Amino acid sequence: MKERLEALKQEALQELSGVGSQQELNDLRVKYLGKKGPLTEVLRGMGALSAEERPVIGQVANDVRAAIESVIEEKQAAYTKQETENRLRAEMIDVTLPGRPSQQGAVHPLSKVIQEIEDIFIGMGYTVAEGPEVEQDYYNFEALNLPKDHPARDMQDSFYVTDEILMRTQTSPVQVRTMEKRKGEVPIKIICPGKVYRRDDDDATHSHMFQQIEGLVIDRNVRMSDLKGTLLQFVQEMYGPSTKIRMRPSFFPFTEPSVEVDVSCAMCGGEGCRTCKQTGWLEILGAGMVHPRVLEMGGYDPKEYTGFAFGMGVERIAMLKYGIEDIRHFYTNDLRFLKQFLHV
């Protein structure tokens, strides 16, 4: 049996010396050291040996197993090392190559214009006030001097959730809520940015959802001249120091008197061009002195306090500022359009 074990050892070592792959190595491990291998069969036959032979043959069998396992472990370590080296080589990153530049984003042009407008008015002592987009009919219409039977409601075709709840058509409800919250305290100087909703057919100049910024000032002895000075300061900071304004009489239920405000065309300097339709002026916002009825409903005595309000569409301001001809560009997520504002 001793000779058989030595022969088994030589046979195994000879086969192991010619191993060409890890799979072959695993196959030989099973062949010689597995439960059905020749070494296991020899050990099972040790029961037939005498008591003196068993320890001798057992030691030889252990030596044979150890020799075979040593060669297998050595080759397994070599294969593992080679596999690791191959993987590292395949996954190697050449740090000398230039990196892949990440795409730089930019502030959306509407967000940028909103920030600019807020900065201008904050610089004039205003604070920013916000309110809900889903609004009560009372705040959106009635408290702004638009009772349910008022014909001016037809000017704003609205999205109603219920008879008393709708998507706000203007940010003016924030003004009413602010007056209620202040409970007659003055001064009030706020601007109210936010989204508004009207049932318009989308085209180059209309959108069912758009951004609006309104302003409100209430105090003692507030005059129309204060409104004009405020708006002149605003447009000159937004469009340049040579910009002029023109105020034309108009009608809004929540202001009296009311005006439409135009700015001199920045494209032609007021000379007349296609942008301003040869008039030299561009309409940008509506404004006026706060109607006494609105002051009363907000908790202010119109005999003691006066105020002015104004409202502008952010898209309109942005279109004039950047020469954009179609309002839909702001909302179609076209990267070709948005990339133009990376460095603006």
Side-chain angles (χ1 to χ4, degrees), residues 283-301:
E283 179 185 335
I284 62 165
L285 58 86
M289 301 301 292
V290 180
H291 197 288
R293 177 61 177 156
V294 175
L295 287 171
E296 286 180 343
M297 297 189 73
Y300 288 81
D301 183 354

Side-chain angles (χ1 to χ4, degrees), residues 241-282:
S242 61
T243 307
K244 301 176 182 178
I245 66 171
R246 180 179 69 176
M247 303 173 74
R248 296 178 287 110
S250 185
F251 165 77
F252 302 110
F254 29 82
T255 54
E256 179 60 38
S258 303
V259 293
E260 296 281 0
V261 181
D262 305 330
V263 296
S264 54
C265 180
M267 301 295 179
C268 63
E271 297 296 326
C273 64
R274 289 182 58 189
T275 302
C276 62
K277 299 179 181 179
Q278 306 302 325
T279 65
W281 298 95
L282 294 167

Side-chain angles (χ1 to χ4, degrees), residues 27-241:
D27 291 343
L28 289 177
R29 182 199 305 273
V30 174
K31 177 180 178 180
Y32 288 102
L33 303 180
K35 294 181 180 180
K36 297 181 180 181
L39 184 58
T40 302
E41 291 181 2
V42 171
L43 294 175
R44 286 174 181 167
M46 289 181 62
L49 299 177
S50 63
E52 293 79 9
E53 291 178 314
R54 285 175 192 164
V56 177
I57 299 302
Q59 182 62 47
V60 174
N62 288 336
D63 292 342
V64 171
R65 175 182 287 276
I68 296 174
E69 287 180 342
S70 176
V71 174
I72 290 176
E73 290 175 0
E74 181 181 344
K75 289 187 172 292
Q76 180 62 52
Y79 281 126
T80 301
K81 180 180 179 182
Q82 185 62 45
E83 181 182 354
T84 301
E85 291 177 354
N86 292 341
R87 186 172 68 253
L88 291 175
R89 191 177 299 108
E91 298 175 357
M92 182 177 63
I93 299 174
D94 187 351
V95 296
T96 65
L97 291 174
R100 296 178 181 176
S102 58
Q103 291 189 352
Q104 180 183 1
V107 177
H108 192 280
L110 290 182
S111 298
K112 182 175 178 59
V113 168
I114 291 173
Q115 291 171 1
E116 290 181 13
I117 294 173
E118 289 179 345
D119 288 344
I120 291 171
F121 281 101
I122 288 173
M124 290 192 280
Y126 287 69
T127 58
V128 178
E130 297 180 336
E133 295 177 19
V134 181
E135 187 56 274
Q136 297 178 39
D137 182 274
Y138 171 79
Y139 289 107
N140 195 82
F141 288 126
E142 294 186 38
L144 294 168
N145 200 32
L146 282 162
K148 292 187 182 299
D149 58 350
H150 199 291
R153 286 202 183 203
D154 296 337
M155 298 168 58
Q156 301 179 10
D157 199 3
S158 311
F159 291 102
Y160 274 89
V161 180
T162 69
D163 290 342
E164 298 298 328
I165 302 294
L166 74 159
M167 305 299 294
R168 68 182 180 188
T169 61
Q170 55 216 355
T171 56
S172 302
V174 182
Q175 300 179 15
V176 180
R177 290 178 176 273
T178 301
M179 285 190 285
E180 284 189 351
K181 184 178 180 181
R182 296 291 295 273
K183 297 180 180 180
E185 293 181 0
V186 291
I188 291 179
K189 292 184 70 174
I190 61 169
I191 55 171
C192 316
K195 298 176 182 176
V196 298
Y197 305 83
R198 298 181 187 179
R199 293 179 60 184
D200 276 332
D201 293 328
D202 291 359
D203 57 27
T205 57
H206 296 85
S207 175
H208 66 280
M209 184 281 294
F210 57 96
Q211 309 278 342
Q212 192 178 63
I213 293 183
E214 297 197 7
L216 173 69
V217 172
I218 297 177
D219 205 345
R220 294 178 174 87
N221 301 317
V222 176
R223 302 178 297 272
M224 179 67 82
S225 58
D226 298 318
L227 170 62
K228 183 177 181 179
T230 298
L231 296 180
L232 181 61
Q233 176 73 16
F234 162 66
V235 299
Q236 289 184 343
E237 291 198 36
M238 176 61 68
Y239 296 111

